[in-house]
Amino acid sequence: MASTTKQLGLLSKQTHVLNLEDADIRYTPEFYSTEVANTLFDVLLNETDWQQDTVRVFGKKHLAPRLSRWVGDPGLRYAYSGLTMETVPWTDTLLAIRADAEGACGASFNSVLLNFYRDGRDSNGWHSDDEPELGGQPQIASLSFGAARDFRLRHKTDPQLKYTLALENGSLLFMCGPTQANWQHHIPKRANAGPRINLTFRSIVE
Ligand SMILES: O=C(O)CCC(=O)C(=O)O
Ligand SMILES: [Mn+2]
């Protein structure tokens, strides 16, 4: 896969700034055209050595309800759900998507977490991406391919503040500033949902 935005068919579409307190979240629904997003879904599905990680929830170990993979610069380590994860090397496809995300977000990323939700039974529990390795104001670019899934947000201290948006095929969600400090997010189960791949590009500061 070539590394220019042109060859990936990048669209310069509208970005919506979410009107949420204590957060800075921007959503670009058609970051990639449907055609390009469908191709990237297939390539990512086939190029990735998917694994089912173990996660720790309230001290107990469980198999994660999705498949995943950490990719990043050599030697990076990341503590996640009570486990230390080692990253595997970048592919040309992921480097090309990273370049597009960096250009759109004005940020730089040295790692990406790939998640594969095989169907609507796969999910991601409530959490913030606020690990110390991500620094004080983590910048996270989230790209979605395949079935749209709801992305739910809730404020950590004000239960009145919550928000749901559907992350569509080919979309980019950029979370930065105080978002992770103040909000949690999750992907609930959804009956009949088709397969979906999500990439969250991050910068690990060691
Ligand atoms: O699948 C998504 O859209 C979100 C994934 C996520 O929040 C994570 O892996 O930290
Ligand atoms: Mn997350």
Side-chain angles (χ1 to χ4, degrees):
M1 179 84 36
S3 64
T4 68
T5 54
K6 212 169 173 195
Q7 279 158 304
L8 280 173
L10 193 68
L11 297 173
S12 58
K13 288 276 175 142
Q14 244 194 324
T15 296
H16 309 271
V17 178
L18 273 53
N19 186 17
L20 294 179
E21 271 176 53
D22 306 331
D24 187 344
I25 307 179
R26 303 152 199 211
Y27 181 58
T28 310
E30 293 183 282
F31 186 65
Y32 291 118
S33 68
T34 303
E35 195 189 350
V36 171
N38 290 345
T39 302
L40 288 172
F41 176 91
D42 289 339
V43 173
L44 291 166
L45 183 63
N46 293 314
E47 280 185 357
T48 308
D49 179 17
W50 296 104
Q51 298 192 336
Q52 190 166 18
D53 292 326
T54 307
V55 289
R56 200 169 292 168
V57 184
F58 299 118
K60 271 191 161 184
K61 284 187 174 181
H62 300 271
L63 281 177
R66 61 191 173 278
L67 305 185
S68 51
R69 200 69 170 146
W70 272 103
V71 169
D73 292 354
L76 283 183
R77 281 154 198 266
Y78 189 84
Y80 178 79
S81 289
L83 300 169
T84 300
M85 322 280 291
E86 306 260 350
T87 59
V88 295
W90 294 96
T91 61
D92 287 348
T93 309
L94 288 168
L95 287 172
I97 301 171
R98 178 176 74 167
D100 291 339
E102 288 182 337
C105 300
S108 60
F109 306 111
N110 61 10
S111 59
V112 58
L113 173 61
L114 292 84
N115 279 312
F116 176 35
Y117 302 83
R118 294 159 290 184
D119 59 32
R121 289 168 294 188
D122 277 352
S123 61
N124 202 326
W126 284 111
H127 68 280
S128 304
D129 296 310
D130 59 356
E131 287 80 9
E133 294 94 319
L134 297 177
Q137 300 221 320
Q139 296 188 307
I140 297 177
S142 164
L143 290 119
S144 295
F145 302 97
R149 291 287 293 266
D150 281 350
F151 182 77
R152 297 176 68 187
L153 288 148
R154 71 178 180 198
H155 194 276
K156 286 188 188 174
T157 56
D158 184 345
Q160 311 279 12
L161 296 180
K162 45 195 169 185
Y163 193 79
T164 302
L165 82 162
L167 297 181
E168 291 163 273
N169 187 23
S171 67
L172 165 68
L173 183 84
F174 183 48
M175 300 184 275
C176 58
T179 307
Q180 303 305 322
N182 296 310
W183 291 76
Q184 291 185 315
H185 52 268
H186 100 121
I187 302 283
K189 294 181 196 295
R190 275 288 172 264
N192 306 320
R196 167 178 187 263
I197 292 173
N198 174 263
L199 314 180
T200 42
F201 289 88
R202 302 144 189 255
S203 189
I204 299 173
V205 287
E206 287 194 287

